[in-house]
Amino acid sequence: MIKTRVQPATEANTVPNAVDVLRTGGLVAIPTETVYGLAADATDGEAVARIYEVKGRPSFNPLIVHCANAEMARTFGIFDDTANKLASAFWPGPLTLVLPHKDGSLVSPLVRAGLASVALRVPIGVSADIIAALGRPLAAPSANLSGRVSPTRAAHVMDQLGSAIDMILDAGACQVGLESTIISLAGEEPMLLRSGGVPVEEIEETLGCAVARSRSDAPVEAPGMMKSHYAPRAMVRLNATEITQEDGALNFAASGLSARHSLNLSPDGDLREAAANLFEYLAAFNRLDVKRIAVAPIPQLGLGAAINDRLERAAAPRA
Ligand code: TXA
Ligand code: MG
């Protein structure tokens, strides 16, 4: 149990206080113009793992990376003419752009849940000031428990996440009151992934062309199933207790699988650390050209469920 501090967003020390919490890996519920977000430093893998833990999601859904301005966003995503047009027309504001991720960006791989794309948005209000003062982007899903509605007041956040997070900034009711519109520019043509604060008609008017609608309203039902440079090329074997030298070994705690290439998700058996390392280590095995990865048993507790979910997808037969 944590004592959750609630602070009005307009006080003079609100921004520095929130920055202090975020800098040390803490979680802050931030008001945005759309809904309240549950924010962590997007470059801090363990802080991002805490977001999944607190929301109680059984899988790693990719998170939106919130930036102080378009200039910051450009360091994480690859902008083409269409992206530039939409960013200058609608940022700051309730529009999220899914763009090809820029290699080598500082965003934790866990934020993208293994996808080759990144979702970027520039919010309005105190959260943009916090991001600018922190000098780093914030990963922030809506600040609700998994399966509940998105909060539009600080009290909604307190009801669901009080005593699980460090701080809630209270700016009253959110102006828009529903989530950002999500447009993907990572595919062949612009695609509406989620309707939200910016009507799609306004986007079409800005672009001078129609925007395709994604067939389902859930844009990434199973991020782990999607093609990406984090999807391991190697065959994955779960609950391994023995191993051959040619395999790659993915250990957890004291599992002690030993091979030419061995990594340990968390030598201390810390599931938060394991979640933070997961996508990075799968990518490392890819680069090493390991043909088979033997994964030690990982407890199906807390974040372990989401870690196992991702590994099970990786182990599933390929088409
Ligand atoms: O208004 C909003 O967008 C709020 C505020 C806090 O900014 N945030 C929000 O986040 O609604 P969340 O996590 O509840 O929804 C983000 C959506 C998810 O459906 C996720 O699958 C999708 O964005 N998403 C994130 N990254 C993606 C990617 N690379 N490709 C496709 N979809 C992505
Ligand atoms: Mg949500």
Side-chain angles (χ1 to χ4, degrees), residues 67-75 79 87-88 91 122:
C67 298
N69 47 47
E71 192 191 339
M72 184 187 251
R74 274 176 226 291
T75 63
F79 283 67
S88 52
W91 281 354
V122 177

Side-chain angles (χ1 to χ4, degrees), residues 12-263:
N13 59 358
T14 296
V15 170
N17 284 350
V19 166
D20 281 347
V21 172
L22 292 162
R23 207 162 259 154
T24 52
L27 300 186
V28 179
I30 52 167
T32 80
E33 78 281 27
T34 58
V35 299
Y36 279 76
L38 178 58
D41 177 349
T43 68
D44 178 342
E46 289 192 38
V48 173
R50 271 190 75 196
I51 293 180
Y52 291 105
E53 192 174 49
V54 162
K55 284 193 57 122
R57 283 197 67 103
S59 61
F60 295 122
N61 208 22
L63 306 175
I64 297 172
V65 175
H66 296 68
C67 298
N69 47 47
E71 192 191 339
M72 184 187 251
R74 274 176 226 291
T75 63
F76 309 118
I78 299 172
F79 283 67
D80 62 5
D81 288 349
T82 308
N84 284 328
K85 240 187 231 172
L86 293 180
S88 52
F90 298 105
W91 281 354
L95 175 70
T96 295
L97 295 178
V98 173
L99 302 178
H101 174 249
K102 218 178 218 182
D103 271 349
S105 103
L106 293 177
V107 171
S108 158
L110 185 58
V111 172
R112 288 179 286 122
L115 297 174
S117 55
V118 61
L120 297 165
R121 146 164 150 75
V122 177
I124 295 171
V126 70
S127 42
D129 300 335
I130 292 167
I131 297 161
L134 181 67
R136 302 217 185 113
L138 293 178
S142 49
N144 51 281
L145 292 170
S146 179
R148 306 263 300 266
V149 292
S150 299
T152 55
R153 285 184 176 277
H156 304 165
V157 181
M158 192 64 186
D159 286 347
Q160 297 190 44
L161 302 178
S163 77
I165 65 177
D166 303 282
M167 192 173 187
I168 299 173
L169 302 186
D170 188 349
C174 298
Q175 262 177 17
V176 176
L178 79 173
E179 291 96 338
S180 61
T181 301
I182 305 180
I183 300 283
S184 172
L185 301 175
E188 309 257 290
E189 46 171 8
M191 171 94 78
L192 175 72
L193 298 185
R194 180 175 75 185
S195 308
V198 176
V200 66
E201 293 78 7
E202 284 186 29
I203 291 166
E204 293 178 320
E205 200 167 307
T206 301
L207 293 180
C209 67
V211 169
R213 273 60 167 172
S214 99
R215 247 171 285 139
S216 113
D217 211 35
V220 185
E221 277 172 323
M225 301 296 279
M226 297 185 62
K227 210 164 153 246
S228 80
H229 49 235
Y230 287 107
R233 281 190 293 267
M235 297 292 303
V236 174
R237 186 160 58 88
L238 300 178
N239 296 312
T241 47
E242 90 273 352
I243 189 168
T244 64
Q245 269 307 298
E246 302 78 66
D247 290 350
L250 191 57
N251 284 291
F252 178 76
S255 57
L257 297 172
S258 144
R260 200 153 49 93
H261 297 298
S262 301
L263 293 170

